[in-house]
Each structure stands twice: as structure tokens, then as C-alpha cells.
Amino acid sequence: MMNYYLDEEHMRREVAAGHHRQVVGGLWEELGALQARFLQEQGLTKGDRLLDIGCGTLRGGVHLIPLLGANYYGLDASQALLDAGYEQEAALLDVAFPRSNLHRTTSFEIPWPITFDFGLAQSLFTHLPVSELQRCLETITPHFRSGARLFATCWEGAGPCVIQSCGKPTFEAQDPYHYTQDVIATHTPADWSFRWIGDWGHLRGQQMMVFTRR
Ligand SMILES: C[S@@+](CC[C@H](N)C(=O)[O-])C[C@H]1O[C@@H](n2cnc3c(N)ncnc32)[C@H](O)[C@@H]1O
């Protein structure tokens, strides 16, 4: 198993125990607001369509849905997390938001016949090998218009194990994963360009990158 989020029984137990905000990493308010603030600084505005890949229980979504409404879409590996996000978070917002905008998948396929202007993957690729980043970009390509941008976070590092500035160990070959900028560039499909952004104010030091659809 690539990461513990793929253990659906475990996710169900976490949700049943009332941990749906903690299980996606904690810092619920700070990291949720940061995602929405950052994307708006990058130009996200009302009317844009956004795909939140690995949206979890909508830590970012609760700040983005009030801006985007039904133009916010989310993919996640865990149905338990999507259900908790919808029932315990999105449904309490004073915004019409269709449950069908949330889709369970581990392979990044997009079930809606639409194209996106923005993508977000906050703390998704930190749990996946870089081959999955490549697979994700290849799979979502037809659903992103030319010029659309996917903002994604990662841990930066080289070698088998790195201690990040927050004290967390990350690894080349197991969750939590780190990547080098060169490795990311090598795994970026030709339909996308890759640019390193780096520090974006993440409280634990995850770095930001952006992929732009050619
Ligand atoms: C640390 S949480 C972050 C959730 C959300 N982006 C946030 O900031 O709160 C990582 C999320 O990635 C999801 N995930 C892990 N592997 C995945 C995969 N292969 N496909 C889709 N989602 C995945 C997990 O289920 C989990 O919700």
C-alpha cells in the first residue's frame, strides 16, 4: 500500500472516531485558509473551474466552495473522507454544492465532461512516488484547457532520507516521499511545463510547484 489513506477501513474508523479534520494532517483552519488565499493570489476567481486532487475532507474546499460554488470539484481515494467532507463540512456551508462534484478514485480519472482552469494538489504527492505524479498529469491532461495551472505541493529532498525543517523525516522510496526538482522535471509529461515556486507559507515547510498545460 503506497500510503495509509488507501486503507479504507482505517479511514472509516478515523471518521467514526470524529477525527475527519485531524486525519488529513491537522492545522485544519490555517492550512485550509492558506490554500484558498494562495490560489486567489495566483488569479483564481469566481467563475473559474477548480479540480482539488486528493481533496480529503475538504480542508481547502470549505474555503474554496464559498468562492466557486458548483465550480469546485474534488477527487480522493477515500469514500469515507469524501462522505465526511460533504456531510460534516460542505453541507453546513450556506452554498449550493452538489455531492456529485466529489468523486472517489485512486487513478485520477475525471468523470465529468468538463475542462478545468485550475488544479490543486495539497499534500497529495507527499504521499505518492513521483511516478504517480506523472500518471496524474497524463490522466488529467484532456480535462485541463491550454494555459490552465495545477498547483501542487511536495517535500523537497535528495537521497534515501531527509529531515525536513519541521523535524519530519521524508523518504525517497516510502511515504512520506520527497522529490528533487530535477526528478520532477524528468517526470513532467510533454503536455505540461513545470516551474518550481518553493516556499508558499506552508507551516511545516512543504514546497509549491506549478504545472501549466501547454
Ligand atoms: C494529507 S491529505 C490532504 C487532503 C487535502 N488536500 C487537504 O489539504 O486537506 C492527503 C489526501 O490524499 C488522498 N490520496 C492519497 N492517495 C491518493 C490517490 N492515489 N488518489 C487520490 N487521492 C489520494 C488521501 O485520501 C487524502 O485525503
Side-chain angles (χ1 to χ4, degrees):
M1 198 173 290
M2 271 182 289
N3 61 64
Y4 89 128
Y5 293 103
L6 304 180
D7 179 349
E8 184 66 359
E9 274 314 305
H10 184 63
M11 290 302 114
R12 280 213 189 94
R13 283 197 299 274
E14 290 283 357
V15 168
H19 298 162
H20 77 275
R21 290 186 170 189
Q22 292 93 322
V23 73
V24 292
L27 296 174
W28 177 264
E29 190 52 40
E30 299 88 330
L31 280 184
L34 175 66
Q35 295 174 52
R37 194 166 64 239
F38 176 81
L39 287 173
Q40 287 178 87
E41 284 166 8
Q42 300 301 317
L44 178 76
T45 187
K46 197 174 165 65
D48 285 330
R49 281 202 190 121
L50 170 86
L51 179 65
D52 189 352
I53 308 171
C55 62
T57 51
L58 308 182
R59 181 167 52 173
V62 294
H63 297 272
L64 290 162
I65 291 169
L67 173 70
L68 303 175
N71 283 332
Y72 173 94
Y73 292 79
L75 300 179
D76 201 89
S78 167
Q79 191 63 52
L81 296 188
L82 290 173
D83 289 345
Y86 185 82
E87 288 159 15
Q88 300 183 49
E89 300 292 345
L92 310 185
L93 300 171
D94 196 14
V95 183
F97 178 68
R99 191 170 193 143
S100 56
N101 278 27
L102 302 177
H103 176 67
R104 195 203 82 84
T105 175
T106 53
S107 50
F108 313 111
E109 87 275 357
I110 295 171
W112 311 285
I114 58 173
T115 52
F116 291 97
D117 307 294
F118 280 85
L120 170 68
Q122 140 66 28
S123 200
L124 169 68
F125 299 121
T126 52
H127 299 288
L128 295 172
V130 71
S131 56
E132 288 296 295
L133 165 66
Q134 178 170 351
R135 176 154 85 120
C136 176
L137 288 168
E138 286 169 354
T139 306
I140 68 174
T141 295
H143 287 273
F144 276 64
R145 65 163 173 81
S146 175
R149 287 168 294 159
L150 168 65
F151 292 90
T153 68
C154 69
W155 294 112
E156 188 181 24
C161 179
V162 167
I163 306 299
Q164 299 291 337
S165 57
C166 65
K168 186 183 179 77
T170 60
F171 305 93
E172 194 169 53
Q174 71 182 67
D175 179 24
Y177 291 87
H178 57 237
Y179 311 149
T180 65
Q181 294 182 36
D182 281 350
V183 163
I184 300 162
T186 307
H187 285 80
T188 302
D191 286 322
W192 297 83
S193 67
F194 157 64
R195 184 169 64 82
W196 185 254
I197 293 177
D199 182 42
W200 64 297
H202 189 280
L203 285 92
R204 297 199 180 103
Q206 283 187 28
Q207 303 291 293
M208 183 62 84
M209 46 194 174
V210 59
F211 300 90
T212 304
R213 178 78 166 85
R214 295 188 196 278

